[in-house]
Amino acid sequence: MEVQLIHYAAENFAAALKAAGIKEEGESEALQLGKWLNAQLEQEKDDNEIPDDIALKGRLFGDMIPFLLISENVHSAPISYRSLMKLLRSYFDSSVMLIPLQEKEWVILARKELLTDGDDKDEEEENEDDLLSQTSMGLHELIASEWVGVFHLAVAPAIVPVKGLAGSVALLRETIILGRIFQVGEYIHLPWELHLERLVNSIPDTRRRQLLGQIGDYTSVLSDKEMLLTLETFFEMDCNVSETAKKLYIHRNTLLYRLDKIKQETGADVRSFGDAAIVKLTMLLYKVTKRK
């Protein structure tokens, strides 16, 4: 009852501030939590529990889905907490939380049950990745429809924020960094789709260049946009020739010609698992080394 009374008093106080045009309801508390999160991440302390003096701690004990939103709009006016919060409430509900981090970087926390929509537990576990991906797509489309510019969005599986928020934000930041390197042209990044990329990015630059030299010269293929797109699509379609040809809108024979050309120039037949694995690794090494 005492906690409820405190929350009631805080809500009325926030309403008074809002009426006076001072701050959006909950913004001061969100800024406080964001400041604590930034301090933890700077010190690489991503396993600390949120302390009791953080005003929002009482709302962070349930399962929630964390999103990280980053804007690349350097010359645009800052997006206000109020306007972004209004947009998020229209997509999720009034319980959604918005936590500002660095400039043009926000953590979004949504209740897990909003995504499951009453599904059985087995179905929920089986489809959670798909649900998170679909929810991220819808959220990104909504944001893009409201504001001009480039926004990157990452999402992670459900956490109990009071214990796992800092670690989850660290993972999401890394996911967006990897997405910018390895998923050029994409703006929604999922950590479970970047395991191999995370491994490659952790290799020291000198060692990456040594590996590229030892594997062989694939420059002629990887610097050719058409060939690179062909390989990326081929791997995306699990090395299925028919599905790759459909995705690229080309005849099956045209795809086979390109794969044969890749074999002639590199000696690698990507229809073979071993060669496909080497070529995939080489592509990732080439991307991150070229960016460096």
Side-chain angles (χ1 to χ4, degrees):
M1 290 178 66
E2 290 175 347
V3 171
Q4 291 177 348
L5 182 60
I6 292 170
H7 280 301
Y8 178 76
E11 287 172 0
N12 279 279
F13 181 66
L17 292 178
K18 182 178 179 182
I22 298 176
K23 277 191 181 296
E24 171 70 9
E25 180 180 351
E27 184 175 359
S28 297
E29 294 87 345
L31 287 168
Q32 180 196 30
L33 178 54
K35 183 178 179 180
W36 178 83
L37 273 173
N38 278 323
Q40 300 304 299
L41 295 170
E42 287 174 4
Q43 299 171 35
E44 298 184 355
K45 296 179 179 178
D46 56 12
D47 57 352
N48 284 349
E49 180 176 326
I50 294 174
D52 293 336
D53 61 349
I54 298 296
L56 290 178
K57 182 175 181 177
R59 295 177 57 189
L60 301 173
F61 283 91
D63 287 343
M64 303 187 82
I65 305 294
F67 301 82
L68 183 65
L69 177 66
I70 296 179
S71 169
E72 288 188 354
N73 305 329
V74 178
H75 302 294
S76 64
I79 299 170
S80 71
Y81 180 93
R82 183 189 297 265
S83 59
L84 184 52
M85 192 63 171
K86 181 179 179 181
L87 197 64
L88 293 174
R89 285 171 175 161
S90 72
Y91 188 73
F92 295 108
D93 67 4
S94 59
S95 67
V96 68
M97 298 177 65
L98 177 64
I99 305 164
L101 293 178
Q102 306 291 348
E103 185 179 4
K104 300 184 180 180
E105 181 187 35
W106 304 269
V107 175
I108 301 164
L109 293 172
R111 291 185 298 114
K112 182 180 179 182
E113 54 265 33
L114 290 174
L115 275 68
T116 60
D117 195 26
D119 288 345
D120 293 336
K121 185 176 180 180
D122 291 341
E123 293 180 359
E124 174 188 331
E125 291 176 352
E126 181 180 353
N127 299 321
E128 183 174 2
D129 288 354
D130 291 338
L131 287 169
L132 292 175
S133 177
Q134 293 166 12
T135 303
S136 299
M137 290 175 61
L139 179 57
H140 189 275
E141 288 176 5
L142 179 64
I143 294 170
S145 70
E146 289 293 321
W147 292 296
V148 177
V150 174
F151 296 88
H152 290 271
L153 184 67
V155 62
I159 57 168
V160 177
V162 72
K163 293 183 178 179
L165 185 56
S168 187
V169 173
L171 171 65
L172 292 174
R173 275 184 172 175
E174 181 190 33
T175 297
I176 290 181
I177 290 171
L178 293 173
R180 285 169 166 165
I181 296 172
F182 296 104
Q183 298 176 327
V184 177
E186 298 182 28
Y187 305 104
I188 299 171
H189 311 291
L190 309 173
W192 54 88
E193 292 184 352
L194 290 164
H195 293 310
L196 187 56
E197 288 82 353
R198 185 171 290 106
L199 175 62
V200 169
N201 195 59
S202 69
I203 301 172
D205 186 56
T206 302
R207 182 56 179 152
R208 283 196 295 259
R209 295 181 186 278
Q210 289 176 348
L211 288 171
L212 279 174
Q214 292 167 1
I215 290 172
D217 187 7
Y218 285 58
T219 306
S220 61
V221 171
L222 299 181
S223 60
D224 185 316
K225 291 183 179 180
E226 183 179 80
M227 288 299 187
L228 186 58
L229 176 61
T230 299
L231 284 171
E232 288 177 338
T233 309
F234 186 65
F235 293 137
E236 181 185 344
M237 296 292 106
D238 295 326
C239 301
N240 185 300
V241 172
S242 298
E243 293 300 319
T244 303
K246 289 179 183 178
K247 185 75 178 287
L248 291 171
Y249 300 102
I250 60 176
H251 194 276
R252 177 188 173 92
N253 290 344
T254 302
L255 175 60
L256 292 174
Y257 168 78
R258 291 182 186 177
L259 298 181
D260 287 337
K261 186 177 180 182
I262 291 170
K263 183 178 180 181
Q264 291 173 6
E265 295 190 11
T266 66
D269 184 356
V270 291
R271 286 163 287 190
S272 164
F273 174 78
D275 286 356
I278 292 296
V279 172
K280 174 67 175 179
L281 177 61
T282 305
M283 286 172 58
L284 297 177
L285 286 167
Y286 179 81
K287 281 185 178 181
V288 69
T289 304
K290 181 181 177 183
R291 183 182 177 92
K292 296 287 185 180

